[in-house]
Amino acid sequence: MFYLDQLIAFMEKTFDVAIELNEVGGEIISLYHEEIDEKIISKNTLQILTNPVLFQTYVYNEKSEWIIGVVLHATTNDPLFLVCLKNGEKVYEKLLNTEKYNNE
């Protein structure tokens, strides 16, 4: 899982955005690769990720609309990929912890 305290620390360190905890919304949904928009996660990256995945989404609106998506392993909830959108544009992406799942 990617917890709120991790989100707050990540946004502060990476984007210098101070998030107010009570202004963050979120949800988790199970998705198969074909359900994921290639503008969010490329086909090349999807090949590395397990199928299906859990997609954990945080939304924060202050001066800009931020959508932070964390792809989690569907069984273990380990974070595999992180993507950030600012006002609908991808501004950050990073693979996380995928090495141990490459043979699945």
Side-chain angles (χ1 to χ4, degrees), residues 57-95:
T57 306
Y58 291 109
V59 178
Y60 178 70
N61 287 303
E62 186 55 32
K63 296 176 183 174
S64 302
E65 178 189 52
W66 287 92
I67 299 173
I68 300 93
V70 183
V71 175
L72 306 169
H73 188 280
T75 306
T76 66
N77 290 332
D78 287 339
L80 303 175
F81 183 76
L82 176 64
V83 61
C84 298
L85 305 175
K86 180 180 180 184
N87 297 324
E89 296 293 322
K90 188 181 340 180
V91 294
Y92 184 91
E93 65 180 3
K94 183 177 182 180
L95 281 169

Side-chain angles (χ1 to χ4, degrees), residues 14 24 29 31 35 39 47-48 52 57 95 99-100:
T14 307
V24 176
I29 186 169
L31 295 172
E35 299 175 291
K39 294 176 188 170
Q47 291 176 1
I48 299 168
T57 306
L95 281 169
E99 302 84 28
K100 65 182 175 181

Side-chain angles (χ1 to χ4, degrees), residues 29-36 49-55 71-75 80 104:
I29 186 169
S30 178
L31 295 172
Y32 288 94
H33 288 184
E34 57 270 10
E35 299 175 291
I36 299 173
L49 303 175
T50 58
N51 193 18
V53 296
L54 296 177
F55 201 85
V71 175
L72 306 169
H73 188 280
T75 306
L80 303 175
E104 288 188 9

